[in-house]
Amino acid sequence: GAVVSQHPSRVICKSGTSVKIECRSLDFQATTMFWYRQFPKKSLMLMATSNEGSKATYEQGVEKDKFLINHASLTLSTLTVTSAHPEDSSFYICSARPAGREENEQFFGPGTRLTVL
Amino acid sequence: GQNIDQPTEMTATEGAIVQINCTYQTSGFNGLFWYQQHAGEAPTFLSYNVLDGLEEKGRFSSFLSRSKGYSYLLLKELQMKDSASYLCAVLDSNYQLIWGAGTKLIIKP
């Protein structure tokens, strides 16, 4: 089956620092990857859609200068939370859509729990 | 606007059957997904429906009626490990997932 990994799984950082989260599709190529954020007791919120080799498309209300997304290859996308603050503490989840698949399905990574002190 | 509704919380008994409903109003439709999410974990894919009807997969079944904008997830022979949140999501005309807020399912012995 299609596997998506995220690294790190947990990160604790000081306020003002930047944190990079990696999302990798391990056994398939993903032309499109998605980044979500989960708020407590709420559903996943789509932050941005990233297509390989082009700029990410951000959802309304998501600061693109704060949440930098790079999709440099068909198997890797990165999300960098710049100048993190305590309110950025959350569970960040990526998903990947396989290229050339008939079924429109996203495979989710295990998530990264970010805690900003 | 786009909207997906599902109950906030449901309680059921171990060994029983439970049906979790989902209604949607979206700009276009390219399929409906059900995901299971345990606390602190990423969602796990359960089912995908794009045509009307019932899809059965073991203890879980999913039903879709596109004309009614309605789906349900049916869980049979409930086990304690089925306690989780169940998320309904619709793929819209831009092939982006629109998520429901999830239904927290509590299983009692």
Side-chain angles (χ1 to χ4, degrees), chain A residues 72-94:
Chain A
S73 76
L74 287 172
T75 59
L76 173 65
S77 176
T78 60
L79 167 68
T80 302
V81 183
T82 62
S83 187
H85 291 283
E87 58 265 29
D88 297 325
S89 298
S90 191
F91 198 42
Y92 292 87
I93 301 171
C94 76

Side-chain angles (χ1 to χ4, degrees), chain B residues 92-106:
Chain B
D92 71 5
S93 56
N94 293 318
Y95 289 92
Q96 297 214 353
L97 275 177
I98 311 300
W99 291 89
T103 298
K104 183 178 180 182
L105 178 63
I106 301 169

Side-chain angles (χ1 to χ4, degrees), chain A residues 34 36 38 41-44 46 49 59 91 93 97 103-106 108-111 113, chain B residues 30 33 35 37 39-45 48 87 91 94-97 99-102:
Chain A
F34 304 88
Y36 295 86
Q38 183 163 38
K41 299 183 180 180
K42 293 187 179 180
S43 183
L44 298 179
L46 178 65
T49 301
E59 295 300 300
F91 198 42
I93 301 171
R97 179 189 295 158
E103 189 171 308
N104 295 307
E105 184 174 327
Q106 296 181 21
F108 285 85
R113 186 166 293 284
Chain B
N30 281 300
F33 295 85
Y35 289 89
Q37 185 177 26
E41 298 179 10
T44 304
F45 170 79
Y48 169 69
L87 303 167
L91 206 60
N94 293 318
Y95 289 92
Q96 297 214 353
L97 275 177
W99 291 89

